[in-house]
Each structure stands twice: as structure tokens, then as C-alpha cells.
Amino acid sequence: MDALIASLLIWIGSHSALEVAGLPAPTIVEMTPLEITRQVHRLAGMTLAPTVADTRLFGAYDPHAGEHGTIYVVRAESAPYADEFANHLDNPYFHERLLHELVHHVQFRSGAIDRLPCPAAAERDAYRLAGMFVRERHLRDPLAHRASLLRMLDGC
């Protein structure tokens, strides 16, 4: 996992203006879809724990958990096409999900988050970079509505 995180951080640095040099890697915690749903609710300050997974949620970043922040991500074996990989961590669809959350890590740790006009801008950058990552690999975009989502996130 360390090599994967390092390569994704380098990719982010080479495809954006985000500064990745010297940034520590976050802790990565793989979870089930229901655990991710509950974690997102906790991070949002909601006290009622959901009993059903929100299948639209794949990850979350908590900059205050752990020494260098923590990324919670749906387990690699749950990513699209996971059964095609002997090692689920080799799946580029898992990489795309992890990359999205790593963008948030870089935004926070580099201070870029403080220069963004609104929270939607942070999400826009993460979705945009993850889309670039998918296109570079000539993969089918797992977010069929990415273009619409990016337009929606454009208006701060």
C-alpha cells in the first residue's frame, strides 16, 4: 500500500498545481460500504448510525484522525472489476477512489484548502483529477455522471 500511495501522490503532483513534496502519507483504513456510510455520518456530526449502506459513498478523508490524517475507503475487493485482479490492490478502479481521497489529503496538508473559494471547489478538484486518472488509463469512468457533477460543483 505504501508504494501505491507514493505513486498516486507523485501522479497528483504531476497533474495539478498541488504541492506534494515532503507530504507524509495518511493512514489508510479499508472498510465495508456500511462502515464507510457510518464513518461519513460520524464525520458530518450525525449521531444516528445508518443501518443500510449508501452505495454512492466510496471514501472519506479525516484530516484530524491519526498522525497525518486518515483516509477511509471501501475495501479494494469491493471496487469494480476487483475479481479480475489476483491482488485487489492492483485494480485501477480502487486507485481512482483512493486518489480522490488523497487529493483531499494533499489539499489539507499543503494548505491549498485554505485558498479555495468554497468546499465545493475541493470536491471539484478531487473529482476532476480522478477523472483524468481514469481517462489516462483508457478505463470506463465509474462515475457516469462525472461531467454533470463537475458542472454542479463549479458554482461556489
Side-chain angles (χ1 to χ4, degrees), residues 51-125:
T51 57
V52 176
D54 184 337
T55 57
R56 299 168 298 173
L57 300 174
F58 302 114
Y61 174 64
D62 184 350
H64 307 294
E67 186 177 358
H68 303 294
T70 299
I71 289 175
Y72 304 97
V73 64
V74 172
R75 297 182 190 282
E77 57 265 18
S78 297
Y81 309 106
D83 56 347
E84 294 179 17
F85 297 88
N87 181 349
H88 299 304
L89 293 179
D90 293 337
N91 184 345
Y93 288 100
F94 176 71
H95 300 176
E96 182 262 347
R97 292 174 174 184
L98 190 54
L99 183 132
H100 177 109
E101 299 307 327
L102 277 169
V103 169
H104 294 313
H105 172 71
V106 174
Q107 290 167 331
F108 186 84
R109 293 288 165 196
S110 70
I113 196 84
D114 299 326
R115 297 184 296 277
L116 294 174
C118 66
E123 285 299 327
R124 181 185 61 231
D125 289 348

